[in-house]
Amino acid sequence: MRIELDEAFTWRGRTVRWARRGDGPPVVFCHGTPWSSALWEPFADALSRQFTVYLWDMPGYGRSSKDPGHRVSLDVQGDLLADLLGHWGLTRPHIVAHDYGGAVALRAHLLHDAVYASLALVDVVALAPWGSSFFQLVREHAEVFQKLPPAVHEGALRAYIAGASARGLTEQQVTMLIEPWLGETGQPAFYRQIAAADQAYTDEIEHRYASIDLPVLVLWGTDDTWIPVDRAHRLAAMIPGARLELVEHAGHLIQLDTPVAVSANLHRWLIGRD
């Protein structure tokens, strides 16, 4: 079921599109790059029978604003998340975060005093090293990539995204993932958010993971080639009391590779915290 982001939050000139559904304890989903909240929609829809679920697109992503003059780096997104939780009136939500969303949620908690009931970290950006050779190339030549012919850009985008799945993506899934990054607005926004990637934003907080004092689930696909599973073991060992759950035959796009396993793990985790 498609969940329309039918609400808007204005923050420092940016427009954040978001949606709330269901009734019960609050669960906030955080997406990563180059994804959007669409990746979490089926899981939010299923959990809305027992929880109040919140979906949102980070500025520079999905259906939120993509103004060329607005920074979209991890420091900005972490600051925004803390304020967004305040806008929603949430004092102790459950957080479910994937990829960059993990770093965003961790920064909001460790640097901006966001308080969570629990934190589920799903194949997240949190530990050095991260950032592929493609990221480095884009950072050095972002303006050139933004001017690629649209067909060339789409071909490169499709090839890039395909590498995040261990099982292969359907055409419908590929279309859902690439749609926000096409056209006169989407193409330059895609390269801007990659150019803004900087490991310094996780280096800044990595030493503080041992101070996290809340229930944490580390959920990871064993076949993740973007962020290998060794990071899952390291991260779980750094956070006191963290639970580690590994999903076989799942890549970085664990939500699409093994949706049943992800749904079961998240439901079991959240019900256990309720």
Side-chain angles (χ1 to χ4, degrees):
M1 176 181 177
R2 185 72 174 177
I3 298 177
E4 293 298 328
L5 301 188
D6 49 10
E7 301 282 352
F9 173 56
T10 301
W11 187 85
R12 301 180 190 175
R14 299 159 176 83
T15 299
V16 179
R17 303 297 305 185
W18 64 275
R20 173 174 49 213
R21 297 290 185 273
D23 186 39
V27 179
V28 177
F29 288 87
C30 300
H31 70 83
T33 180
W35 326 118
S36 72
S37 61
L39 200 55
W40 282 124
E41 283 179 8
F43 304 92
D45 183 47
L47 286 167
S48 68
R49 296 167 179 82
Q50 295 172 280
F51 298 88
T52 303
V53 297
Y54 292 79
L55 289 170
W56 64 292
D57 282 344
M58 293 189 292
Y61 296 78
R63 287 158 277 183
S64 290
S65 61
K66 298 182 175 72
D67 190 313
H70 289 156
R71 293 174 57 240
V72 295
S73 48
L74 288 171
D75 58 331
V76 172
Q77 307 291 4
D79 195 3
L80 184 155
L81 175 57
D83 285 351
L84 185 59
L85 296 179
H87 173 71
W88 289 332
L90 303 181
T91 55
R92 286 179 54 83
H94 300 284
I95 303 290
V96 178
H98 176 242
D99 188 85
Y100 258 28
V104 171
L106 287 163
R107 287 185 64 91
H109 176 63
L110 293 170
L111 300 180
H112 302 290
D113 301 320
V115 179
Y116 308 146
S118 73
L119 178 58
L121 300 171
V122 185
D123 292 75
V124 296
V125 171
L127 298 174
W130 60 266
S132 66
S133 57
F134 178 62
F135 270 48
Q136 181 62 36
L137 185 64
V138 170
R139 278 198 293 268
E140 294 173 356
H141 306 285
E143 292 187 3
V144 175
F145 279 93
Q146 290 178 27
K147 296 175 182 177
L148 285 175
V152 175
H153 162 68
E154 182 174 343
L157 182 58
R158 285 174 173 269
Y160 175 62
I161 285 175
S165 170
R167 295 191 173 189
L169 301 171
T170 68
E171 182 58 30
Q172 183 179 15
Q173 290 169 338
V174 172
T175 298
M176 178 267 289
L177 294 170
I178 70 171
E179 188 275 333
W181 303 120
L182 302 178
E184 294 182 1
T185 301
Q187 178 171 333
F190 175 74
Y191 296 111
R192 282 198 304 271
Q193 56 87 21
I194 292 180
D198 193 330
Q199 186 179 294
Y201 296 124
T202 54
D203 290 345
E204 184 180 4
I205 58 173
E206 189 172 324
H207 69 284
R208 301 181 64 170
Y209 296 163
S211 70
I212 295 175
D213 184 20
L214 69 148
V216 174
L217 169 68
V218 177
L219 180 65
W220 222 276
T222 59
D223 296 337
D224 188 339
T225 57
W226 280 25
I227 311 179
V229 71
D230 70 284
R231 307 295 201 285
H233 293 278
R234 286 174 52 201
L235 185 59
M238 293 173 74
I239 300 174
R243 177 189 300 178
L244 175 62
E245 296 285 350
L246 303 180
V247 179
E248 297 290 334
H249 313 301
H252 190 64
L253 282 171
I254 188 172
Q255 300 96 326
L256 301 182
D257 284 347
T258 53
V260 174
V262 172
S263 182
N265 272 284
L266 290 180
H267 184 265
R268 184 166 56 247
W269 171 253
L270 291 169
I271 290 297
R273 311 276 75 73
D274 193 14

